[in-house]
Amino acid sequence: EMKKKYKIILITCAMTCTIAGLFWKLRSQGKDKGIMIRPEEDCPVGSIISYCQKDEAWSNDKLGKSVYRMGGSGCLISCIAAGLSSECQNLGIGKIITAGELNQLFGQNGVYNQQGDIVWGRIEDAMPEVEVFVASSVDSNEIEELLKEGHYPIIKVKVEGTKTAHWVMLVGSEDGEYLCMDPLEKDGKLIPLSRHGGVVYRMRCVYWAE
């Protein structure tokens, strides 16, 4: 009788673990599931200030107190700086700020966590003159609306179809294709989103408050 009880308990535990594992796998897959985006209409590209994360002026700078440096992990901060600077140049608001300067500002004001990730809720504390939009999901309509307003959505992609996560900045669209400022491009040349597969996993936007 006792053996039967132990057997039932073991089977129940095994089933519970299996179900929990499947649930976690499905949850993880859903969380990392991107969507393919294409513009509904062309959006003119303004005057874009591009920043390369591997620029010698800041490539060796650390992200906050973490072990990570701009050259290898500075794509997101480079996009934020490029967006703010381009917006300043096109709309005449805010100021031009380099990727290196913004990285220092964020580091000094605790915007990074110990892993070198940006804590989005701390950006406005460090820079009260900006607004931060953290999208709960990727929405093509929101992206197009931001571009029309002169803001630059920052999107998470996978580098040229690989599994490596990377952030680029959308700057406009033409001929049914989104164009991006890619922090890995040393010459500042804009690239089509299709180079990274056209699939977007996250969307953020940091812009000057009017």
Side-chain angles (χ1 to χ4, degrees):
E1 187 68 27
M2 288 297 291
K3 287 184 178 179
K4 287 184 178 180
K5 286 184 178 180
Y6 281 126
K7 190 174 182 180
I8 292 171
I9 291 172
L10 287 172
I11 292 172
T12 303
C13 288
M15 289 177 65
T16 301
C17 290
T18 300
I19 293 170
L22 287 171
F23 174 77
W24 178 256
K25 184 177 181 180
L26 288 171
R27 183 184 177 191
S28 299
Q29 288 177 342
K31 187 177 179 182
D32 200 37
K33 186 178 180 180
I35 69 165
M36 179 78 71
I37 63 169
R38 293 189 69 86
E40 291 290 329
E41 57 187 80
D42 287 356
C43 181
V45 177
S47 181
I48 304 301
I49 293 179
S50 299
Y51 292 128
C52 177
Q53 65 193 75
K54 297 183 181 296
D55 191 309
E56 292 181 359
W58 51 70
S59 62
N60 203 40
D61 294 351
K62 288 185 177 181
L63 303 180
K65 297 180 180 179
S66 74
V67 299
Y68 299 101
R69 299 178 186 273
M70 285 285 290
S73 305
C75 54
L76 182 51
I77 190 71
S78 297
C79 285
I80 296 174
L84 291 174
S85 296
S86 297
E87 195 172 287
C88 171
Q89 186 160 269
N90 287 305
L91 301 180
I93 58 175
K95 60 184 179 181
I96 290 176
I97 184 168
T98 69
E101 291 169 340
L102 189 61
N103 177 53
Q104 288 183 358
L105 178 65
F106 279 12
Q108 292 166 357
N109 288 275
V111 176
Y112 293 112
N113 63 18
Q114 293 298 316
Q115 289 73 45
D117 298 320
I118 288 175
V119 181
W120 295 96
R122 297 177 186 171
I123 293 179
E124 291 181 13
D125 293 333
M127 299 183 73
E129 65 271 36
V130 306
E131 292 186 15
V132 178
F133 175 55
V134 177
S136 57
S137 60
V138 179
D139 187 310
S140 295
N141 293 326
E142 284 182 338
I143 287 174
E144 295 208 31
E145 192 61 35
L146 285 167
L147 286 170
K148 288 177 182 177
E149 292 174 358
H151 305 316
Y152 297 98
I154 301 168
I155 57 171
K156 184 179 181 182
V157 297
K158 298 292 178 69
V159 178
E160 298 186 8
T162 67
K163 294 183 179 181
T164 304
H166 182 51
W167 292 89
V168 298
M169 182 180 83
L170 295 179
V171 299
S173 57
E174 60 183 33
D175 300 326
E177 177 80 278
Y178 278 114
L179 297 176
C180 309
M181 189 290 297
D182 188 335
L184 290 176
E185 292 291 314
K186 293 183 179 180
D187 59 3
K189 182 180 178 181
L190 301 180
I191 67 166
L193 178 59
S194 57
R195 183 181 297 183
H196 294 305
V199 177
V200 179
Y201 297 84
R202 303 280 189 279
M203 195 273 278
R204 308 284 187 262
C205 194
V206 181
Y207 51 91
W208 298 111
E210 296 183 17

